Amino acid sequence: MEIHSPKHPIHSRREFLREVGIIVLGVLIALGAEQAVEAVHWRAEVRGAHASLRLEMITANGNFAFRTAVRDCVASRLDSLDAITELAARHAPVPHVGTVQPDIANAFLDGDWLAYRASEVLTHFGHPELEEYGGYYGQLEHVRDWIAREHDAWDIIERLHGDPSRLGPDDFAAIRGAIAHARTSNVYIALVAKEEIRRATQLHIPVPPADTARVRSVCTPPSRRSTPR
């Protein structure tokens, strides 16, 4: 912004005040225009951020709805596998176990959130709104960690696939621990999923219904057949 000196000599106090007033007015107009342009810019940036985060959260919400819907089915499957484990550990007759690990893994992405957090855009969100977004994405990070550990537990439980009677004491000890961890993870993830859905609702982000085909696949008990003796 440039400020020009008066073009004509100033001969009186009135002329001096008039010139100063013109300069001050020009400065105020320039600053106001600059702030208006900046405000328009950030409004557009915030709208874009809202749109991107909305899409990212809708995907996560669908996964949360799914984990809420299958909580009891996962618990039931773990109870069944636990019973098989104890039978096999006592050398009692056990069924042949088919598919062990249910399709419960989900990708919870937060790339857009991280990108906006690294920029200045989030500073232009309303404070209560930003708190809800921050809480949502903070929990998202924890859920990803729990799902990774849950997956590791199911990888151990997978040893039951086929004929569990082939396993030894070390296998059964590892499977018992993995089942306990998978139970805890299942409960925790489902509880957080309900809280995340609440936060999303507060932000007017839609929550898609759980995928019925996936729910059905998780809620169908693993196939079994008697093991020849």
Side-chain angles (χ1 to χ4, degrees), residues 12-214:
S12 66
R13 185 168 177 273
R14 177 180 293 181
E15 288 183 4
F16 173 76
L17 293 175
R18 183 171 64 83
E19 291 292 344
V20 170
I22 291 172
I23 292 171
V24 170
L25 180 60
V27 169
L28 292 176
I29 291 173
L31 289 175
E34 185 177 337
Q35 290 175 351
V37 170
E38 187 174 359
V40 170
H41 166 75
W42 285 116
R43 278 199 296 270
E45 291 291 320
V46 168
R47 280 197 301 270
H50 279 146
S52 296
L53 295 176
R54 177 186 175 89
L55 292 176
E56 193 168 68
M57 290 173 66
I58 286 174
T59 300
N61 288 344
N63 293 333
F64 284 131
F66 167 73
R67 286 307 302 255
T68 302
V70 301
R71 170 183 170 171
D72 291 343
C73 294
V74 172
S76 178
R77 181 178 294 218
L78 287 168
D79 288 344
S80 177
L81 294 170
D82 186 36
I84 291 172
T85 300
E86 296 310 317
L87 285 173
R90 296 196 303 269
H91 305 290
V94 290
H96 183 283
V97 179
T99 302
V100 173
Q101 186 167 351
D103 174 23
I104 54 175
N106 298 282
F108 290 95
L109 305 178
D110 59 359
D112 288 343
W113 169 256
L114 293 177
Y116 286 120
R117 195 173 68 178
S119 70
E120 297 180 38
V121 178
L122 297 184
T123 62
H124 296 271
F125 279 40
H127 182 67
E129 177 187 47
L130 186 57
E131 279 193 341
E132 290 292 344
Y133 275 111
Y136 183 96
Y137 277 98
Q139 287 284 31
L140 204 67
E141 185 175 347
H142 293 311
V143 166
R144 276 208 307 265
D145 291 340
W146 275 84
I147 286 178
R149 286 180 283 179
E150 180 186 48
H151 179 74
D152 292 341
W154 277 102
D155 279 347
I156 295 172
I157 301 169
E158 188 70 31
R159 298 179 193 179
L160 291 170
H161 178 75
D163 180 10
S165 63
R166 76 190 190 284
L167 302 175
D170 290 343
D171 293 306
F172 294 129
I175 290 169
R176 288 185 185 106
I179 287 175
H181 186 82
R183 280 194 174 117
T184 302
S185 296
N186 180 49
V187 171
Y188 175 82
I189 292 168
L191 288 175
V192 172
K194 291 180 68 174
E195 176 62 14
E196 291 291 79
I197 288 172
R198 184 201 66 78
R199 287 184 185 277
T201 302
Q202 289 288 106
L203 292 166
H204 307 291
I205 307 293
V207 180
D211 185 326
T212 53
R214 286 189 71 196

